[in-house]
Amino acid sequence: MILPTVRVHSSDRDIPIHSDLPAVYRKLLRSPMRDPIPLETENGLYLTDLELFLDSRRSRENGFVSHAHADHFGRHENILCSETTAHLLKTRYNVADERLNPHPFHEPLEVGPFRLQLLPAGHIYGSAMLHVTRKADGESLLYTGDFKVHRSLTAEEPVFRRADTLVMETTFGAPKWVFPGENEITGMILNFVNQCLEEGVVPALLAYSLGKAQEVQAILTRSGIPAVSHPAVAKMTAACREAGCRLPEPLTFEGTVPGGHALICPPNVMRSEEYQAIPNLRTAILSGWALDRNATYRFGVNAAFPLSDHADFPGLLDAVRRVNPRRIVTIHGYTREFSSELRRQNYEAWSVDGGDQMELDLQR
Ligand SMILES: [Zn+2]
Protein backbone atom coordinates (compact mmCIF):
# COMPACT_ATOMS: atom_id res chain seq x y z
CA MET A 1 0.00 0.00 0.00
CA ILE A 2 1.34 3.44 -0.89
CA LEU A 3 0.59 6.05 1.75
CA PRO A 4 0.53 9.79 1.03
CA THR A 5 3.45 11.63 2.59
CA VAL A 6 3.83 15.09 4.12
CA ARG A 7 6.86 16.99 5.27
CA VAL A 8 6.95 18.05 8.89
CA HIS A 9 10.32 19.77 9.06
CA SER A 10 11.42 22.93 7.35
CA SER A 11 15.13 22.22 7.77
CA ASP A 12 17.41 20.34 5.41
CA ARG A 13 16.65 17.19 7.39
CA ASP A 14 13.07 16.98 6.21
CA ILE A 15 11.79 13.47 6.55
CA PRO A 16 8.72 12.36 4.62
CA ILE A 17 6.12 10.83 6.92
CA HIS A 18 2.82 9.11 6.37
CA SER A 19 0.02 11.54 7.05
CA ASP A 20 -2.75 9.07 7.80
CA LEU A 21 -0.93 7.04 10.43
CA PRO A 22 -1.83 7.73 14.08
CA ALA A 23 0.29 10.52 15.59
CA VAL A 24 2.23 8.17 17.84
CA TYR A 25 3.49 6.13 14.86
CA ARG A 26 4.30 9.23 12.86
CA LYS A 27 6.43 10.35 15.79
CA LEU A 28 8.25 7.01 15.84
CA LEU A 29 8.85 7.10 12.10
CA ARG A 30 10.62 10.41 12.27
CA SER A 31 12.53 9.52 15.43
CA PRO A 32 15.52 7.39 14.57
CA MET A 33 17.24 6.20 17.74
CA ARG A 34 19.80 8.92 18.28
CA ASP A 35 21.21 9.98 21.60
CA PRO A 36 20.20 13.50 22.65
CA ILE A 37 22.92 16.14 22.86
CA PRO A 38 23.97 15.84 26.53
CA LEU A 39 22.70 18.66 28.75
CA GLU A 40 23.44 18.81 32.48
CA THR A 41 20.94 20.75 34.57
CA GLU A 42 21.98 20.19 38.20
CA ASN A 43 24.49 23.02 38.47
CA GLY A 44 23.27 25.47 35.84
CA LEU A 45 22.57 24.52 32.23
CA TYR A 46 25.68 22.92 30.76
CA LEU A 47 26.28 21.44 27.32
CA THR A 48 28.78 18.79 28.35
CA ASP A 49 30.31 17.97 24.97
CA LEU A 50 30.78 21.65 24.14
CA GLU A 51 31.93 22.52 27.69
CA LEU A 52 29.56 25.47 27.42
CA PHE A 53 27.30 26.92 30.12
CA LEU A 54 24.02 28.54 29.06
CA ASP A 55 23.11 31.88 30.70
CA SER A 56 24.98 31.05 33.90
CA ARG A 57 25.08 33.85 36.47
CA ARG A 58 28.22 32.34 37.98
CA SER A 59 31.50 33.05 36.27
CA ARG A 60 32.56 30.06 34.11
CA GLU A 61 35.27 29.26 31.61
CA ASN A 62 32.89 29.24 28.63
CA GLY A 63 29.41 30.73 28.67
CA PHE A 64 26.71 31.54 26.14
CA VAL A 65 24.98 34.79 27.12
CA SER A 66 21.62 34.99 25.35
CA HIS A 67 21.06 38.69 26.13
CA ALA A 68 22.27 41.54 28.31
CA HIS A 69 19.83 41.22 31.24
CA ALA A 70 21.56 40.72 34.60
CA ASP A 71 19.83 37.42 35.36
CA HIS A 72 21.39 35.85 32.26
CA PHE A 73 24.90 37.23 32.59
CA GLY A 74 28.07 35.98 34.30
CA ARG A 75 31.65 37.19 33.90
CA HIS A 76 32.86 34.17 31.95
CA GLU A 77 36.36 33.93 30.55
CA ASN A 78 34.93 33.31 27.08
CA ILE A 79 31.50 34.70 26.29
CA LEU A 80 29.63 33.59 23.19
CA CYS A 81 26.89 36.09 22.32
CA SER A 82 25.38 38.11 19.49
CA GLU A 83 27.20 41.18 18.22
CA THR A 84 24.64 43.55 19.75
CA THR A 85 24.73 41.75 23.11
CA ALA A 86 28.53 42.08 23.12
CA HIS A 87 28.19 45.85 22.72
CA LEU A 88 25.54 46.05 25.45
CA LEU A 89 27.61 43.91 27.85
CA LYS A 90 30.57 46.25 27.35
CA THR A 91 28.43 49.34 28.00
CA ARG A 92 26.40 47.92 30.86
CA TYR A 93 28.90 45.75 32.74
CA ASN A 94 32.30 46.92 31.44
CA VAL A 95 33.09 43.48 30.06
CA ALA A 96 36.57 43.43 28.52
CA ASP A 97 36.84 42.90 24.76
CA GLU A 98 39.09 39.86 25.13
CA ARG A 99 36.34 37.94 26.95
CA LEU A 100 33.79 38.53 24.20
CA ASN A 101 33.27 36.26 21.20
CA PRO A 102 30.46 38.02 19.33
CA HIS A 103 28.95 36.05 16.48
CA PRO A 104 26.48 37.23 13.80
CA PHE A 105 22.95 35.85 13.73
CA HIS A 106 22.32 32.90 11.38
CA GLU A 107 25.98 32.38 10.43
CA PRO A 108 27.14 28.81 11.22
CA LEU A 109 29.90 28.48 13.82
CA GLU A 110 31.85 25.22 13.61
CA VAL A 111 33.04 23.97 17.02
CA GLY A 112 34.67 20.53 16.65
CA PRO A 113 31.95 17.98 15.93
CA PHE A 114 29.18 20.59 16.40
CA ARG A 115 27.68 23.37 14.31
CA LEU A 116 26.29 26.30 16.29
CA GLN A 117 23.95 29.03 15.13
CA LEU A 118 22.63 32.11 16.90
CA LEU A 119 19.02 32.97 16.06
CA PRO A 120 17.11 36.15 17.01
CA ALA A 121 14.93 35.54 20.09
CA GLY A 122 12.77 38.69 19.83
CA HIS A 123 13.03 39.34 23.60
CA ILE A 124 15.15 42.51 23.59
CA TYR A 125 17.49 44.02 21.02
CA GLY A 126 20.32 41.55 20.35
CA SER A 127 18.74 38.64 22.27
CA ALA A 128 19.67 35.26 20.81
CA MET A 129 18.67 31.63 20.89
CA LEU A 130 21.39 29.01 20.45
CA HIS A 131 20.87 26.18 17.97
CA VAL A 132 23.32 23.26 18.17
CA THR A 133 23.68 20.46 15.61
CA ARG A 134 25.86 17.37 16.09
CA LYS A 135 27.32 16.96 12.64
CA ALA A 136 27.84 13.18 12.87
CA ASP A 137 24.16 12.28 13.10
CA GLY A 138 22.21 15.54 12.74
CA GLU A 139 20.91 15.48 16.33
CA SER A 140 20.00 19.03 17.38
CA LEU A 141 19.12 21.21 20.36
CA LEU A 142 17.61 24.69 20.63
CA TYR A 143 18.12 26.81 23.74
CA THR A 144 15.73 29.77 23.71
CA GLY A 145 16.93 32.04 26.51
CA ASP A 146 14.14 34.59 27.04
CA PHE A 147 12.03 34.92 23.92
CA LYS A 148 8.94 36.35 22.32
CA VAL A 149 7.04 35.00 19.31
CA HIS A 150 5.67 38.30 17.96
CA ARG A 151 7.90 40.96 16.57
CA SER A 152 8.35 44.07 18.71
CA LEU A 153 9.44 47.52 17.51
CA THR A 154 12.99 47.28 18.85
CA ALA A 155 14.02 43.60 18.98
CA GLU A 156 14.84 41.54 15.91
CA GLU A 157 12.05 39.31 14.57
CA PRO A 158 12.32 35.92 16.33
CA VAL A 159 13.37 32.96 14.19
CA PHE A 160 12.59 29.42 15.35
CA ARG A 161 14.38 26.41 13.90
CA ARG A 162 13.45 22.78 14.26
CA ALA A 163 15.37 20.88 16.94
CA ASP A 164 15.22 17.46 18.60
CA THR A 165 15.62 18.92 22.09
CA LEU A 166 14.01 22.23 23.03
CA VAL A 167 15.20 23.98 26.19
CA MET A 168 12.69 26.80 26.69
CA GLU A 169 11.81 29.50 29.19
CA THR A 170 8.27 29.35 30.58
CA THR A 171 7.98 32.64 32.50
CA PHE A 172 4.29 32.94 31.56
CA GLY A 173 3.66 29.20 31.17
CA ALA A 174 0.19 28.99 32.73
CA PRO A 175 -3.10 29.28 30.77
CA LYS A 176 -4.18 32.48 32.57
CA TRP A 177 -1.35 34.46 30.96
CA VAL A 178 -2.78 35.55 27.62
CA PHE A 179 -1.68 39.02 26.53
CA PRO A 180 -3.89 41.29 24.43
CA GLY A 181 -2.70 42.02 20.88
CA GLU A 182 0.23 44.41 20.40
CA ASN A 183 -2.00 47.14 18.92
CA GLU A 184 -4.37 46.97 21.84
CA ILE A 185 -1.54 47.29 24.37
CA THR A 186 0.02 50.17 22.46
CA GLY A 187 -3.41 51.86 22.36
CA MET A 188 -3.77 51.54 26.15
CA ILE A 189 -0.36 53.12 26.75
CA LEU A 190 -0.94 55.99 24.31
CA ASN A 191 -4.41 56.69 25.76
CA PHE A 192 -2.89 56.92 29.22
CA VAL A 193 -0.09 59.24 28.05
CA ASN A 194 -2.36 61.49 25.98
CA GLN A 195 -4.88 61.82 28.78
CA CYS A 196 -2.13 62.78 31.24
CA LEU A 197 -0.73 65.39 28.85
CA GLU A 198 -4.21 66.86 28.23
CA GLU A 199 -4.73 67.21 31.98
CA GLY A 200 -1.29 68.76 32.51
CA VAL A 201 -0.11 65.69 34.42
CA VAL A 202 3.32 64.06 33.87
CA PRO A 203 2.94 60.48 32.57
CA ALA A 204 5.68 58.31 34.10
CA LEU A 205 6.15 54.99 32.30
CA LEU A 206 7.95 52.48 34.49
CA ALA A 207 9.96 50.02 32.46
CA TYR A 208 13.20 48.08 32.88
CA SER A 209 16.10 50.14 31.63
CA LEU A 210 17.12 47.70 28.89
CA GLY A 211 14.46 46.32 26.59
CA LYS A 212 11.08 47.55 27.75
CA ALA A 213 12.26 51.17 28.11
CA GLN A 214 13.46 51.27 24.48
CA GLU A 215 10.26 49.59 23.33
CA VAL A 216 8.07 52.25 24.95
CA GLN A 217 10.40 54.96 23.64
CA ALA A 218 9.77 53.57 20.14
CA ILE A 219 6.00 53.46 20.74
CA LEU A 220 6.00 57.12 21.85
CA THR A 221 8.29 58.22 19.01
CA ARG A 222 6.01 56.61 16.44
CA SER A 223 3.17 58.75 17.81
CA GLY A 224 5.25 61.92 17.95
CA ILE A 225 5.32 62.11 21.76
CA PRO A 226 8.68 63.25 23.18
CA ALA A 227 10.07 61.69 26.36
CA VAL A 228 12.81 62.25 28.89
CA SER A 229 14.58 59.20 30.30
CA HIS A 230 16.20 58.31 33.61
CA PRO A 231 20.02 58.26 33.10
CA ALA A 232 20.12 54.43 33.29
CA VAL A 233 17.49 54.24 30.53
CA ALA A 234 19.20 56.95 28.45
CA LYS A 235 22.51 55.06 28.67
CA MET A 236 20.94 51.84 27.38
CA THR A 237 18.99 53.66 24.66
CA ALA A 238 22.24 55.28 23.49
CA ALA A 239 23.98 51.86 23.52
CA CYS A 240 21.16 50.30 21.46
CA ARG A 241 21.45 53.18 18.97
CA GLU A 242 25.21 52.62 18.70
CA ALA A 243 24.50 48.95 17.96
CA GLY A 244 22.12 49.93 15.15
CA CYS A 245 18.66 50.10 16.74
CA ARG A 246 16.46 52.82 15.26
CA LEU A 247 15.66 55.05 18.21
CA PRO A 248 15.81 58.82 18.71
CA GLU A 249 18.69 60.30 20.68
CA PRO A 250 17.58 60.04 24.33
CA LEU A 251 16.82 63.16 26.39
CA THR A 252 18.11 62.63 29.92
CA PHE A 253 15.96 63.58 32.93
CA GLU A 254 17.66 66.31 34.94
CA GLY A 255 15.16 67.07 37.68
CA THR A 256 12.25 68.42 35.62
CA VAL A 257 10.01 67.05 32.90
CA PRO A 258 9.30 69.64 30.16
CA GLY A 259 5.63 70.21 29.27
CA GLY A 260 4.23 67.78 26.70
CA HIS A 261 6.86 65.14 27.55
CA ALA A 262 6.50 61.68 29.05
CA LEU A 263 9.01 60.28 31.55
CA ILE A 264 10.57 56.82 31.12
CA CYS A 265 12.28 55.33 34.17
CA PRO A 266 13.01 52.00 35.88
CA PRO A 267 10.33 51.00 38.44
CA ASN A 268 12.69 51.07 41.45
CA VAL A 269 13.64 54.77 41.11
CA MET A 270 10.11 55.94 41.90
CA ARG A 271 10.91 55.50 45.59
CA SER A 272 13.76 58.02 45.41
CA GLU A 273 13.24 61.56 46.72
CA GLU A 274 14.14 63.13 43.39
CA TYR A 275 11.29 61.34 41.63
CA GLN A 276 8.84 61.65 44.51
CA ALA A 277 9.38 65.41 44.27
CA ILE A 278 8.11 65.63 40.67
CA PRO A 279 4.76 67.45 40.87
CA ASN A 280 1.64 66.09 39.17
CA LEU A 281 3.01 62.65 38.40
CA ARG A 282 0.86 59.72 37.26
CA THR A 283 2.59 56.35 37.03
CA ALA A 284 2.06 53.27 34.86
CA ILE A 285 3.98 50.00 35.05
CA LEU A 286 4.68 48.20 31.77
CA SER A 287 4.90 44.48 32.47
CA GLY A 288 3.31 41.17 31.55
CA TRP A 289 2.42 40.87 35.25
CA ALA A 290 0.02 43.80 34.72
CA LEU A 291 -2.60 41.15 33.88
CA ASP A 292 -2.71 40.31 37.59
CA ARG A 293 -5.78 42.08 38.92
CA ASN A 294 -3.81 43.39 41.92
CA ALA A 295 -0.98 44.74 39.74
CA THR A 296 -1.52 48.45 40.47
CA TYR A 297 -1.55 47.73 44.20
CA ARG A 298 1.45 45.39 44.04
CA PHE A 299 3.55 47.80 42.01
CA GLY A 300 2.24 50.88 43.83
CA VAL A 301 1.24 52.62 40.58
CA ASN A 302 -1.78 54.37 39.09
CA ALA A 303 -2.05 52.10 36.05
CA ALA A 304 -0.61 48.85 34.68
CA PHE A 305 -0.32 47.77 31.04
CA PRO A 306 0.71 44.26 29.91
CA LEU A 307 3.58 45.20 27.61
CA SER A 308 5.84 42.15 27.85
CA ASP A 309 9.09 41.05 26.25
CA HIS A 310 8.22 37.39 26.87
CA ALA A 311 5.90 34.97 25.08
CA ASP A 312 2.53 34.45 26.75
CA PHE A 313 1.01 30.97 27.23
CA PRO A 314 -0.32 30.62 23.64
CA GLY A 315 3.00 32.02 22.38
CA LEU A 316 4.95 29.34 24.27
CA LEU A 317 2.78 26.63 22.71
CA ASP A 318 3.26 28.25 19.31
CA ALA A 319 7.04 28.11 19.77
CA VAL A 320 6.85 24.40 20.60
CA ARG A 321 4.85 23.75 17.44
CA ARG A 322 7.35 25.69 15.35
CA VAL A 323 10.38 23.87 16.78
CA ASN A 324 8.61 20.48 16.60
CA PRO A 325 10.93 18.85 19.15
CA ARG A 326 11.11 15.27 20.40
CA ARG A 327 11.76 16.33 23.98
CA ILE A 328 11.39 19.58 25.92
CA VAL A 329 13.01 20.93 29.06
CA THR A 330 11.24 23.89 30.70
CA ILE A 331 13.19 26.52 32.63
CA HIS A 332 12.10 29.66 34.57
CA GLY A 333 8.62 30.45 35.87
CA TYR A 334 5.83 27.92 35.44
CA THR A 335 8.19 25.06 34.56
CA ARG A 336 6.12 22.23 36.07
CA GLU A 337 2.75 23.52 34.90
CA PHE A 338 3.95 23.99 31.35
CA SER A 339 5.77 20.65 31.10
CA SER A 340 2.63 18.99 32.44
CA GLU A 341 0.56 20.73 29.76
CA LEU A 342 3.02 19.52 27.11
CA ARG A 343 2.80 15.93 28.36
CA ARG A 344 -0.98 16.21 28.06
CA GLN A 345 -0.31 17.07 24.42
CA ASN A 346 1.83 13.92 24.03
CA TYR A 347 5.22 15.61 24.15
CA GLU A 348 8.06 14.22 26.21
CA ALA A 349 8.63 17.17 28.55
CA TRP A 350 10.00 17.82 31.98
CA SER A 351 10.80 20.73 34.26
CA VAL A 352 14.39 21.67 35.03
CA ASP A 353 13.24 22.08 38.64
CA GLY A 354 12.25 18.40 38.83
CA GLY A 355 9.19 17.21 40.72
CA ASP A 356 7.20 16.51 37.57
CA GLN A 357 4.04 14.63 38.38
CA MET A 358 3.68 11.97 35.75
CA GLU A 359 -0.01 11.90 34.91
CA LEU A 360 -1.77 8.55 35.10
CA ASP A 361 -2.56 7.36 31.63
CA LEU A 362 -6.05 6.02 32.21
CA GLN A 363 -6.14 4.37 28.82
CA ARG A 364 -3.42 1.90 29.72
ZN1 LIG B 1 15.54 38.95 29.81
Side-chain angles (χ1 to χ4, degrees):
M1 183 173 63
I2 298 170
L3 295 168
T5 60
V6 293
R7 289 188 177 272
V8 288
H9 304 159
S10 58
S11 73
D12 52 0
R13 296 195 305 103
D14 281 1
I15 300 167
I17 60 164
H18 302 295
S19 63
D20 56 353
L21 286 176
V24 62
Y25 295 117
R26 292 210 302 269
K27 213 165 185 179
L28 284 173
L29 272 175
R30 68 163 186 258
S31 303
M33 296 301 282
R34 289 191 309 245
D35 290 332
I37 293 174
L39 173 76
E40 283 181 16
T41 59
E42 289 78 30
N43 184 25
L45 296 171
Y46 182 59
L47 290 170
T48 324
D49 292 355
L50 278 159
E51 299 179 3
L52 182 68
F53 279 90
L54 305 174
D55 280 340
S56 171
R57 295 181 72 174
R58 277 178 52 194
S59 170
R60 313 283 188 173
E61 188 176 350
N62 303 309
F64 168 68
V65 176
S66 64
H67 63 287
H69 278 157
D71 55 339
H72 292 253
F73 165 68
R75 287 187 185 278
H76 316 304
E77 281 176 41
N78 303 298
I79 294 174
L80 172 64
C81 60
S82 74
E83 292 168 308
T84 292
T85 296
H87 181 69
L88 296 175
L89 291 178
K90 274 196 277 188
T91 312
R92 203 168 198 209
Y93 304 116
N94 290 317
V95 177
D97 266 326
E98 52 267 29
R99 289 173 184 255
L100 294 164
N101 300 273
H103 195 75
F105 283 125
H106 305 292
E107 219 167 86
L109 173 65
E110 309 289 334
V111 182
F114 292 94
R115 181 175 300 121
L116 276 51
Q117 190 185 34
L118 270 60
L119 298 168
H123 170 60
I124 64 168
Y125 192 46
S127 62
M129 301 189 254
L130 180 66
H131 190 277
V132 180
T133 305
R134 188 166 56 207
K135 289 185 268 188
D137 58 3
E139 178 72 16
S140 57
L141 176 147
L142 181 71
Y143 168 69
T144 63
D146 289 347
F147 73 95
K148 198 171 154 102
V149 288
H150 302 295
R151 186 180 191 149
S152 65
L153 295 179
T154 49
E156 299 84 352
E157 182 163 13
V159 174
F160 294 89
R161 188 178 161 190
R162 209 209 78 78
D164 297 303
T165 301
L166 171 62
V167 184
M168 67 185 298
E169 64 110 339
T170 51
T171 305
F172 290 102
K176 66 175 176 174
W177 300 107
V178 182
F179 302 142
E182 312 277 318
N183 288 343
E184 194 180 332
I185 299 167
T186 302
M188 292 179 201
I189 296 168
L190 291 173
N191 278 346
F192 169 83
V193 170
N194 285 324
Q195 196 170 345
C196 287
L197 295 178
E198 275 170 28
E199 294 174 21
V201 170
V202 175
L205 301 167
L206 312 189
Y208 294 112
S209 58
L210 174 61
K212 209 77 68 68
Q214 287 71 44
E215 187 67 13
V216 74
Q217 173 73 73
I219 289 170
L220 294 175
T221 302
R222 211 170 51 164
S223 292
I225 301 168
V228 291
S229 295
H230 179 274
V233 169
K235 186 178 175 186
M236 286 301 102
T237 302
C240 287
R241 274 168 54 86
E242 286 156 15
C245 191
R246 276 192 209 165
L247 286 164
E249 202 170 320
L251 302 171
T252 306
F253 172 70
E254 286 167 347
T256 55
V257 180
H261 284 61
L263 172 66
I264 304 173
C265 52
N268 56 337
V269 305
M270 292 314 298
R271 287 191 293 271
S272 72
E273 272 179 30
E274 187 185 18
Y275 284 78
Q276 298 248 333
I278 301 171
N280 286 330
L281 201 66
R282 196 175 295 161
T283 53
I285 184 86
L286 307 179
S287 165
W289 306 114
L291 286 184
D292 186 311
R293 76 165 73 102
N294 297 318
T296 51
Y297 173 75
R298 275 181 50 204
F299 288 104
V301 290
N302 301 116
F305 304 116
L307 181 72
S308 179
D309 44 22
H310 290 269
D312 62 0
F313 182 75
L316 293 171
L317 289 174
D318 187 26
V320 172
R321 278 190 290 271
R322 291 201 223 177
V323 177
N324 192 19
R326 289 195 282 157
R327 64 192 77 80
I328 300 148
V329 183
T330 57
I331 57 171
H332 301 311
Y334 291 86
T335 57
R336 294 189 185 100
E337 291 85 345
F338 197 71
S339 63
S340 170
E341 171 63 30
L342 290 174
R343 288 194 297 276
R344 266 196 296 279
Q345 299 192 16
N346 287 327
Y347 288 99
E348 180 189 330
W350 66 93
S351 155
V352 76
D353 302 318
D356 293 288
Q357 288 281 325
M358 285 301 173
E359 294 77 11
L360 281 172
D361 185 348
L362 297 173
Q363 291 178 325
R364 278 184 199 164

